[in-house]
Amino acid sequence: STLDRSSAASDVYKRQQNVDAVLIPAPSHAASYIEWGMPKEKIFFGVDVVDNQFFYSKSSEAKNKLKWLFESHNLPEKLFLGVGRQIPKKNWFNLIRAYGKYKQEGGQWGLVLVGGGPQHEDLKNYVLSENISGVHFKPFASQSTLCEYYAMAECFILASHHGETWGLVVNEAMACGLPVLVSNQCGCSQTLVKNGENGWTFDSSKIEEIKELMLKVSHLATDEMDAMKKKSLEIIEEWPIERFSQGLLDAINVCKNDKRGFKTIFDKIMLGLWKGRYIPT
């Protein structure tokens, strides 16, 4: 109800009054904090970054031995790539369904899914039961090995349908120079994906939409694909580790300079008991 939402917002606002600064992923995430009463000058950005240089250099090295990599991993030379835990929120079933339709309409690229999880066997069994050719399952991989997969891929896909507050694998893929297809439910989609420039966003529930984007990407001319790869690199350059470091330092300095204390004694006790534990899904 409206009353429930108003009450919840009021409760969040009261708790927010004990916060001196926030460090969040990007400006796309700021609206709620502003609504809760956090001044814009106390909001800092850069939480979700990766070591861009590591991924760029390692994938570049891998590209020098692509023929050997395709043979050793037993993969075709044109690939869509998905990386992540095989759990419901990642929406792998819809991605596979879309890929099946892509194949039915003449699509030639393979689909590589790297990772493991509770849905792993169900996903493999679904591919077998539906007789979908071209899907390759690969186990959890180290960052160095992931760079090999990024080097072999033509396009990266993240199809999560809820709970994906950012999606750091998109940072990794872009740092390796890949175009990206990203669900609009992923927190990074507004910041890192420029539709038609380095990829596209999509509705994670619409299998036909995902399929059409897979067809679109796989039919891009070489110069169009090269332009998208270049654009991914340009965009991700704005999100280096240094951005996180500076944002964190700025937030700490704001906190150091604010001496107002806790709003109430109850808040002081509760926050003193909190151990900062957070268990992500």
Side-chain angles (χ1 to χ4, degrees):
S1 69
T2 302
L3 181 61
D4 291 337
R5 289 196 299 271
S6 176
S7 176
S10 175
D11 185 55
V12 170
Y13 174 71
K14 290 175 182 176
R15 295 174 187 273
Q16 189 90 357
Q17 293 179 80
N18 292 294
V19 178
D20 299 307
V22 294
L23 179 63
I24 61 176
S28 57
H29 291 58
S32 294
Y33 294 90
I34 294 171
E35 182 180 350
W36 295 333
M38 179 60 63
K40 290 182 180 180
E41 64 271 17
K42 293 188 176 184
I43 300 176
F44 303 94
F45 309 109
V47 170
D48 291 310
V49 297
V50 301
D51 187 344
N52 292 341
Q53 187 55 44
F54 170 85
F55 284 95
Y56 178 78
S57 61
K58 287 294 184 181
S59 63
S60 296
E61 290 174 14
K63 288 174 184 177
N64 293 324
K65 53 179 181 179
L66 278 181
K67 187 175 187 299
W68 177 84
L69 284 174
F70 283 118
E71 291 176 355
S72 62
H73 288 285
N74 192 28
L75 293 172
E77 292 188 2
K78 296 288 185 178
L79 299 170
F80 293 105
L81 175 66
V83 176
R85 290 191 68 211
Q86 287 161 3
I87 55 178
K89 80 171 187 180
K90 298 292 186 178
N91 201 29
W92 298 117
F93 276 105
N94 271 3
L95 176 57
I96 290 173
R97 292 184 185 106
Y99 178 74
K101 291 179 175 292
Y102 162 83
K103 292 287 285 187
Q104 289 173 2
E105 295 196 19
Q108 297 298 308
W109 291 11
L111 173 64
V112 177
L113 302 180
V114 179
Q119 284 192 318
H120 180 71
E121 291 303 320
D122 290 338
L123 290 167
K124 291 178 69 176
N125 289 335
Y126 179 78
V127 169
L128 290 173
S129 66
E130 296 297 317
N131 195 29
I132 301 173
S133 63
V135 182
H136 305 264
F137 291 93
K138 298 296 181 179
F140 172 84
S142 67
Q143 287 189 333
S144 294
T145 303
L146 271 181
C147 288
E148 295 181 353
Y149 288 115
Y150 289 134
M152 288 186 283
E154 294 291 329
C155 179
F156 182 81
I157 305 180
L158 183 62
S160 303
H161 56 65
H162 69 84
E164 195 74 75
T165 55
W166 186 260
L168 284 173
V169 285
V170 177
N171 296 60
E172 296 174 2
M174 289 174 60
C176 295
L178 285 178
V180 292
L181 300 179
V182 181
S183 161
N184 58 20
Q185 294 301 304
C186 298
C188 70
S189 62
Q190 294 182 47
T191 301
L192 298 184
V193 186
K194 308 301 180 187
N195 282 302
E197 296 183 39
N198 73 314
W200 286 272
T201 58
F202 57 85
D203 185 327
S204 61
S205 67
K206 295 183 177 178
I207 294 171
E208 285 292 323
E209 185 176 339
I210 302 172
K211 179 260 295 183
E212 288 297 327
L213 287 175
M214 297 175 92
L215 286 168
K216 178 180 287 190
V217 170
S218 62
H219 287 106
L220 287 174
T222 301
D223 60 337
E224 294 174 312
M225 180 65 78
D226 288 344
M228 284 202 157
K229 292 177 179 179
K230 182 180 178 182
K231 188 64 178 180
S232 276
L233 289 171
E234 290 176 358
I235 293 170
I236 207 62
E237 279 182 1
E238 299 298 317
W239 295 91
I241 283 181
E242 291 78 10
R243 184 165 189 149
F244 164 75
S245 302
Q246 188 60 56
L248 178 59
L249 180 61
D250 292 341
I252 289 171
N253 286 333
V254 164
C255 293
K256 285 170 58 180
N257 295 328
D258 197 325
K259 307 296 183 182
R260 61 176 172 73
F262 293 99
K263 186 68 176 176
T264 70
I265 187 65
F266 176 75
D267 294 335
K268 182 177 182 179
I269 293 170
M270 290 299 294
L271 289 170
L273 292 172
W274 183 53
K275 303 299 182 182
R277 295 190 184 96
Y278 170 66
I279 303 175
T281 56

